[in-house]
Amino acid sequence: MSFSLMRWASLVMLGMQASQVFAISQISAVGAKFFNSSGDQFYIKGIAYQLSDNDPLVNEAQCKLDAALMKELGANTIRVYHVDPDGDHDGCMSAFSDAGIYLFVDLETFNSAIDQSAPHWNSTMLNAYTKVLDTFHGYDNLAGVFVGNEVLTMTNGSWAAPYVKAAARDVKAYRDSKGYRQIPVGYAAADIADLRPMLQDYLACSTNSSEDLDFFSLNAYEWCGDNTFTGSGYSELQKNATGYSIPIFFSETGCNTSPPRTFEDQSAIFGSDMADTWSGAIIYEWIEEANNYGLISYGPSVAATATGTNIVGGYTRGGTPTPVSPDFSNLKSVWATLNPTGVALSAYSASASKITPLACPAETSGIWNVNPTAALPTVGQTADASGTGSSGTTTGGSTGTASGASSTATSSKGAAPVGIVTPGSAGATSAVVIYGVLVGFTGLMAWWL
Ligand SMILES: *[C@@H]1O[C@H](CO)[C@@H](O)[C@H](O)[C@H]1NC(C)=O
Ligand SMILES: *[C@@H]1O[C@H](CO)[C@@H](O)[C@H](O)[C@H]1NC(C)=O
Ligand SMILES: *[C@@H]1O[C@H](CO)[C@@H](O)[C@H](O)[C@H]1NC(C)=O
Ligand SMILES: *[C@@H]1O[C@H](CO)[C@@H](O)[C@H](O)[C@H]1NC(C)=O
Ligand SMILES: *[C@@H]1O[C@H](CO)[C@@H](O)[C@H](O)[C@H]1NC(C)=O
């Protein structure tokens, strides 16, 4: 080989190496599973990440520090609840991409989330959602977006479900009209035993896929401490998800009521019990704060009243992350043993095209007040209380007070407590679940105030 040819060849190889190092494969939803661009099934090993309330994806140096430790943990995904669409996210998105880490991001902002106490969907909200999509669609490591987080938390909240579905319909139509890739659009549900099976089916039951979500996910804290697939209630989650037509995963999990956390549930999710149906899990959460779910901390807690750079609510939020022991190493060891390969797209795509949606759930007065054959709300529509059965009667008086709680429910702090049900209570009575929700809301309000 002549010198110049050799040089040319090594330049080409360098170029190939560079693209192998820096490119991350895009994720798409096919049938009920996620795949990467080489047709391998993608399982989420995720971490909820909300270092700063407004946007944790604008500080590149911080993202690099966190991404490096997440890679060591074995994570391949983060979930972020709030971003500022006007921020510059290039540095953080590259930092995570370089570490092989994908992003699922919530599109709703603090004042554009769908509100179960007075459901409506309008152009202001749609514009806020699509602005976030515009900002993030170009990043190859954007794995998916949420049109809502725990919008329905009360047993009388079912009338908000069509508004979640309308939001997904319009975000998908916008995505397609702009020629963006098929970025999966989904929803993160609170684990409310009375609503979950119906909501899950409803969001994917249309025969017109433009009106279905691209994925469904669940914030579930059913498995605490030493437990089993059956004892935890996960076997019921599995039953409900069998035959589901879109990908399903845990958008939050990691009960902390029996410390230390051993993350045993991951073995069920990524093992033979569930891995054929579920696409992985996002652990709540990266940072240590008052709710005590942290996998890392940035130093010892400080006085609750302390102020200063990066200090929020008695915790430092920035700097070098230090593993919280033994939770961090427990999760790392568990994840290291769990590497399902799933199914190859080439073997799956024929059956995927034959999956039919489950039936839309029937209307059940007082629980599921959604007409299965009604058209979805249009932009500008507001829910009509007269059509919702018993839950509608109190709407007028409650709207003002409830909306504060509802908007905080989409914050990272609120996300965990709201969905909590007691261990083994997949069939819990509504009293228990409502109690959990109220406790969650009280905590939320306390944080918000
Ligand atoms: C897709 O995922 C598989 C399994 O994790 C991996 O080996 C492969 O490199 C990925 N494809 C691309 C193009 O990154
Ligand atoms: C849409 O609803 C939000 C409240 O959720 C409100 O702030 C906004 O003004 C409404 N926009 C329109 C066009 O009605
Ligand atoms: C499917 O739904 C979309 C969005 O609502 C609508 O624009 C389209 O006309 C529907 N297609 C059919 C065949 O009904
Ligand atoms: C879904 O789970 C609930 C318990 O949470 C159970 O009562 C119901 O029968 C399940 N439905 C299906 C279709 O598996
Ligand atoms: C739902 O129930 C809660 C708690 O009982 C109540 O405060 C709220 O007003 C109800 N919401 C609607 C829309 O009826």
Side-chain angles (χ1 to χ4, degrees):
M1 215 185 312
S2 76
F3 176 72
S4 62
L5 190 59
M6 234 166 81
R7 205 167 65 160
W8 178 81
S10 62
L11 274 176
V12 169
M13 276 173 59
L14 242 178
M16 279 167 53
Q17 270 171 7
S19 68
Q20 273 159 7
V21 171
F22 294 117
I24 193 165
S25 166
Q26 296 172 345
I27 302 299
S28 50
V30 180
K33 300 175 192 299
F34 292 118
F35 293 91
N36 71 8
S37 63
S38 44
D40 293 286
Q41 192 180 341
F42 177 69
Y43 286 94
I44 297 160
K45 287 179 175 170
I47 305 290
Y49 183 65
Q50 193 78 35
L51 193 54
S52 67
D53 290 338
N54 280 338
D55 192 341
L57 299 176
V58 288
N59 181 338
E60 179 178 3
Q62 187 61 51
C63 287
K64 280 185 169 160
L65 290 171
D66 290 322
L69 191 57
M70 282 184 200
K71 187 177 181 179
E72 189 187 318
L73 175 64
N76 64 14
T77 302
I78 52 171
R79 174 179 180 189
V80 171
Y81 297 82
H82 281 116
V83 289
D84 170 8
D86 293 322
D88 177 356
H89 303 96
D90 288 354
C92 278
M93 291 306 284
S94 309
F96 283 108
S97 176
D98 292 350
I101 293 173
Y102 291 90
L103 168 71
F104 279 87
V105 67
D106 283 74
L107 298 179
E108 73 278 12
T109 59
F110 283 109
N111 55 13
S112 65
I114 298 163
D115 180 355
Q116 69 180 337
S117 71
H120 59 276
W121 175 240
N122 67 34
S123 58
T124 315
M125 298 159 82
L126 176 60
N127 290 342
Y129 285 43
T130 56
K131 196 171 176 192
V132 175
L133 187 66
D134 288 338
T135 302
F136 282 89
H137 79 93
Y139 299 116
D140 287 337
N141 58 332
L142 177 66
V145 296
F146 298 100
V147 294
N149 178 53
E150 302 194 352
V151 172
L152 285 69
T153 59
M154 313 284 240
T155 44
N156 64 9
S158 65
W159 65 331
Y163 290 82
V164 172
K165 210 165 165 174
R169 172 202 60 200
D170 293 342
V171 167
K172 285 170 57 155
Y174 178 85
R175 174 197 68 192
D176 296 348
S177 75
K178 297 290 274 188
Y180 297 164
R181 68 186 163 87
Q182 296 289 296
I183 296 157
V185 176
Y187 172 70
D191 188 9
I192 308 297
D194 283 340
L195 294 181
R196 175 179 35 74
M198 284 83 86
L199 177 61
Q200 185 172 307
D201 289 355
Y202 175 71
L203 294 178
C205 70
S206 303
T207 49
N208 179 350
S209 65
S210 303
E211 300 198 333
D212 280 327
L213 274 67
D214 295 327
F215 67 84
F216 176 85
S217 64
L218 191 62
N219 299 347
Y221 294 82
E222 297 189 14
W223 188 314
C224 305
D226 264 346
N227 215 320
T228 62
F229 179 57
T230 313
S232 64
Y234 274 31
S235 57
E236 294 299 320
L237 298 182
Q238 173 61 23
K239 270 189 224 157
N240 280 185
T242 305
Y244 202 44
S245 54
I246 57 175
I248 181 168
F249 61 92
F250 291 80
S251 37
E252 283 179 14
T253 182
C255 173
N256 68 354
T257 59
S258 306
R261 296 195 286 175
T262 50
F263 303 102
E264 278 175 13
D265 71 327
Q266 300 297 294
S267 304
I269 295 169
F270 292 99
S272 55
D273 284 329
M274 302 174 88
D276 284 347
T277 308
W278 296 73
S279 292
I282 294 173
I283 306 296
Y284 191 86
E285 68 172 326
W286 187 241
I287 62 171
E288 179 68 348
E289 51 184 329
N291 62 19
N292 207 29
Y293 282 89
L295 291 166
I296 63 94
S297 76
Y298 300 100
S301 58
V302 294
T305 50
T307 53
T309 314
N310 291 333
I311 293 178
V312 181
Y315 287 83
T316 305
R317 295 208 198 175
T320 304
T322 306
V324 167
S325 181
D327 292 20
F328 183 98
S329 55
N330 285 350
L331 179 59
K332 182 180 170 179
S333 319
V334 167
W335 268 353
T337 63
L338 301 169
N339 293 296
T341 48
V343 62
L345 180 58
S346 53
Y348 178 69
S349 53
S351 55
S353 63
K354 293 195 196 92
I355 299 177
T356 49
L358 299 174
C360 294
E363 189 164 358
T364 327
S365 183
I367 299 178
W368 188 251
N369 293 309
V370 180
N371 175 349
T373 59
L376 293 181
T378 52
V379 177
Q381 195 167 325
T382 294
D384 175 5
S386 66
T388 61
S390 55
S391 74
T393 51
T394 57
T395 314
S398 70
T399 306
T401 49
S403 60
S406 164
S407 58
T408 56
T410 61
S411 87
S412 64
K413 319 315 160 302
V418 168
I420 290 177
V421 291
T422 49
S425 67
T429 64
S430 16
V432 170
V433 174
I434 287 172
Y435 173 75
V437 168
L438 289 176
V439 168
F441 271 146
T442 314
L444 284 180
M445 300 285 286
W447 169 80
W448 186 252
L449 293 172

